[in-house]
């Protein structure tokens, strides 16, 4: 549990965005006694999407904040398991070519539906600090007090505050302020994902042979791959089928203006993309929903040089929206939220040193999140036969050596201690606190 500040804060924090990391940050700050307000664009808390992978590093963060037990109560007993991963050929008989070793018996992760995850968190935030139907469209300095920040909302209202944390996703309006007023950092990744949930019994009845309950599985193929993991005590299989165009580099060409990032498409579209794959892939796609959702995945690219400007910071997808191929995006957002909460709740953090505190947040989090961003991109290329050994699937393990441990074997408390030490060294924090 994050320790209470033990002192009255002379600043207020406003969080824009009530998704996974925004809500977690609000809870952590509130529990520590930091005055916080949360602004959400929707009419209620809610997450679109299907399954959510929470890696061991993020499980630790949830434990530190005091939310892990609540999240586990929304899971089935089998949903917390060591996060090994089995890689199989997508064509032929789906030979298992590599299994990610579980090097630490504490490498537990969670497979959970996004809505269930968020539902576990909402009971821990004070309803009195939550403001809905508040879509932030811009951020400016306060006219009356240039040291303060003014949030502008779509409904014409404003809110003046001391610190702004932008957890408002890949289309963040807060990022534009951090970048100095111009934001050209959203790029189409040239990767699409078809998502669906399938009852496990239906697959088994259709003759599906691959065991999907032991660990998440990846069926690899040319410029495409399918990720599956079991949720709801192995009753439901979460399917994400990726297809990528590697001829066009990220950032060189975007979707047409007005094109939907998420749309419902006929199941036959997915089957056409995966034509020629092996028998279990065929069964899997035959049992996708009649109209699965198709996601055109966007990322933050080029990366941000800094996550802060003055008293404004971004976190989660707003800071480093990434490809999902390490299953680490949500975990990076939770690491952001935790470090911010620990820094802002520290007894030595005051309005006078808040900018120095936020600069240290950025200094620590930016290189780590960007490393995970880059390794997520590389992993997608490996899955799709564009890694160092191409489609020599037997060498998949060589290509991805060390990738998962770099994301999983990280303790967010180490970041906290480094941050505190830096702030003491720079004189922003006193003595040995």
């Amino acid at each position: 549990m994050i320790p209470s500040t033990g002192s009255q804060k002379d600043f207020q924090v406003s969080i824009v965005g009530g998704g996974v990391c925004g809500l977690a940050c609000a809870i952590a700050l509130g529990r520590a006694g930091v005055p916080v307000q949360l602004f959400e664009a929707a009419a209620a808390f809610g997450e679109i999407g299907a399954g959510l992978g929470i890696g061991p590093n993020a499980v630790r963060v949830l434990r530190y904040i005091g939310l892990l037990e609540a999240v586990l109560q929304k899971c089935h007993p089998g949903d917390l398991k060591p996060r090994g991963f089995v890689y199989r050929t997508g064509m032929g008989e789906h030979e298992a070519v590599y299994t990610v070793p579980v090097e630490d018996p504490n490498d537990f992760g969670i497979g959970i539906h996004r809505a269930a995850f968020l539902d576990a968190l909402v009971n821990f935030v004070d309803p009195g600090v939550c403001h809905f139907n508040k879509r932030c469209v811009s951020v400016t300095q306060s006219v009356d007090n240039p040291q303060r920040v003014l949030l502008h909302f779509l409904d014409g209202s404003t809110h003046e505050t001391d610190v702004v944390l932008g957890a408002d996703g890949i289309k963040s309006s807060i990022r534009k302020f951090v970048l100095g007023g111009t934001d050209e950092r959203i790029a189409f990744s040239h990767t699409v994902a078809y998502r669906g949930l399938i009852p496990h019994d239906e697959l088994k009845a259709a003759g599906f042979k691959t065991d999907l309950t032991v660990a998440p599985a990846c069926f690899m193929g040319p410029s495409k791959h399918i990720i599956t993991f079991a949720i709801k005590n192995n009753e439901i299989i979460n399917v994400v089928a990726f297809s990528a165009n590697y001829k066009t580099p990220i950032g060189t060409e975007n979707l047409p203006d007005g094109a939907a990032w998420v749309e419902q498409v006929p199941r036959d579209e997915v089957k056409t993309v995966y034509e020629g794959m092996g028998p279990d892939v065929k069964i899997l796609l035959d049992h996708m929903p009649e109209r699965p959702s198709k996601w055109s995945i966007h990322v933050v690219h080029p990366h941000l040089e800094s996550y802060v400007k003055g008293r404004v910071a971004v976190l989660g997808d707003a800071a480093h929206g990434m490809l999902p191929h390490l299953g680490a995006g949500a975990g990076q957002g939770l690491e952001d939220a935790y470090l911010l909460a620990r820094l802002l709740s520290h007894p030595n953090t005051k309005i006078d040193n808040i900018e120095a505190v936020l600069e240290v947040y950025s200094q620590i989090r930016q290189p780590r999140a960007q490393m995970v961003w880059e390794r997520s991109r590389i992993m997608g290329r490996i899955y799709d036969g564009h890694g160092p050994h191409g489609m020599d699937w037997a060498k998949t393990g060589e290509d991805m050596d060390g990738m998962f441990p770099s994301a999983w074997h990280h303790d967010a408390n180490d970041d906290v201690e480094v941050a505190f030490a830096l702030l003491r060294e720079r004189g922003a924090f006193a003595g040995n606190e």
Side-chain angles (χ1 to χ4, degrees):
M1 194 75 73
I2 295 179
S4 174
T5 63
S7 61
Q8 189 71 29
K9 288 297 184 185
D10 60 352
F11 60 87
Q12 182 196 76
V13 177
S14 295
I15 298 175
V16 177
V20 168
C21 60
L23 195 52
C25 193
I27 294 167
L29 287 171
R31 286 181 164 181
V34 178
V36 62
Q37 299 289 317
L38 179 60
F39 297 89
E40 165 57 35
F45 292 122
E47 278 278 350
I48 59 173
L52 183 68
I54 302 296
N57 58 311
V59 168
R60 283 189 287 276
V61 169
L62 292 174
R63 182 181 294 115
Y64 298 154
I65 298 176
L67 294 173
L68 180 58
E69 289 306 315
V71 171
L72 292 179
Q73 287 176 15
K74 295 294 182 179
C75 300
H76 288 73
D79 289 345
L80 179 68
K81 61 182 72 172
R83 300 308 283 176
F85 223 107
V86 179
Y87 290 88
R88 299 178 176 275
T89 56
M91 308 178 84
E93 295 302 313
H94 309 304
E95 176 190 0
V97 293
Y98 180 64
T99 299
V100 174
V102 180
E103 299 172 355
D104 186 330
N106 295 316
D107 274 352
F108 283 95
I110 302 170
I112 186 173
H113 197 282
R114 284 176 179 267
F117 183 88
L118 207 63
D119 193 43
L121 270 57
V122 294
N123 293 328
F124 294 95
V125 65
D126 179 359
V129 307
C130 300
H131 310 273
F132 297 102
N133 295 307
K134 292 293 182 183
R135 180 173 297 280
C136 184
V137 293
S138 66
V139 184
T140 61
Q141 289 181 316
S142 169
V143 175
D144 297 328
N145 182 355
Q147 294 298 311
R148 304 196 84 205
V149 183
L150 197 64
L151 296 173
H152 301 259
F153 299 101
L154 186 61
D155 62 5
S157 63
T158 59
H159 176 77
E160 189 173 291
T161 188
D162 297 301
V163 178
V164 173
L165 303 181
D168 49 343
I170 188 78
K171 297 182 180 181
S172 171
S173 62
I174 309 302
R175 185 176 59 240
K176 186 174 182 179
F177 178 87
V178 171
L179 288 169
T182 302
D183 183 3
E184 297 179 348
R185 303 298 178 100
I186 302 177
F188 178 40
S189 67
H190 305 290
T191 298
V192 299
Y194 301 93
R195 300 176 183 266
L197 301 173
I198 305 174
H200 195 192
D201 286 345
E202 286 187 14
L203 295 177
K204 290 187 287 187
F208 193 92
K209 295 179 181 179
T210 304
D211 186 352
L212 300 179
T213 63
V214 176
C218 176
F219 296 87
M220 301 179 294
S223 297
K224 57 184 72 74
H225 68 277
I226 298 176
I227 299 291
T228 65
F229 57 90
I231 59 175
K232 294 191 175 179
N233 212 27
N234 298 329
E235 294 174 9
I236 300 292
I237 303 300
N238 180 22
V239 179
V240 191
F242 294 93
S243 176
N245 171 14
Y246 291 102
K247 295 178 180 178
T248 309
I250 294 175
T252 59
E253 186 178 312
N254 282 322
L255 294 180
D257 289 344
W261 288 17
V262 181
E263 58 184 327
Q264 307 298 121
V265 299
R267 179 167 53 200
D268 283 348
E269 177 178 323
V270 196
K271 293 170 68 174
T272 298
V273 170
Y274 280 84
E275 194 171 356
M277 300 291 271
D280 275 1
V281 169
K282 184 177 185 304
I283 292 172
L284 202 64
L285 300 182
D286 281 343
H287 289 81
M288 286 282 274
E290 286 189 16
R291 293 187 65 81
S293 59
K294 177 183 179 180
W295 297 60
S296 295
I297 301 174
H298 287 68
V299 297
V300 173
H301 175 85
H303 67 263
L304 304 189
E305 294 79 10
S306 173
Y307 293 167
V308 306
K309 181 182 180 184
R311 296 179 182 177
V312 178
V314 286
L315 64 155
D317 283 350
H320 44 68
M322 64 185 68
L323 286 161
H325 303 314
L326 263 180
Q332 289 309 293
L334 288 169
E335 287 183 12
D336 293 341
Y338 181 66
L339 181 58
L340 281 166
R342 290 296 305 272
L343 286 170
L344 293 172
S345 63
H346 192 282
N348 281 354
T349 299
K350 309 290 183 184
I351 192 67
D352 290 341
N353 65 3
I354 202 80
E355 293 188 19
V357 168
L358 292 178
E359 284 290 347
V360 165
Y361 154 73
S362 178
Q363 181 180 343
I364 290 175
R365 288 298 309 150
Q366 194 270 358
R368 161 122 176 110
Q370 196 57 36
M371 178 274 291
V372 175
W373 190 104
E374 179 61 18
R375 292 192 173 200
S376 297
R377 183 190 69 83
I378 293 170
M379 287 290 272
R381 295 185 67 89
I382 294 169
Y383 302 161
D384 291 351
H386 290 266
H389 288 99
M391 287 189 285
D392 185 353
W393 305 118
K395 295 184 178 177
T396 297
E398 290 182 39
D399 288 352
M400 62 177 66
D401 182 45
M403 292 289 192
F404 280 106
S406 66
W408 290 353
H409 297 160
H410 181 82
D411 192 327
N413 274 336
D414 294 340
D415 289 345
V416 172
E417 293 307 314
V418 171
F420 289 171
L422 283 172
L423 287 163
R424 287 192 296 268
E425 180 183 303
R426 296 172 185 177
F429 280 5
N432 297 317
E433 293 189 61

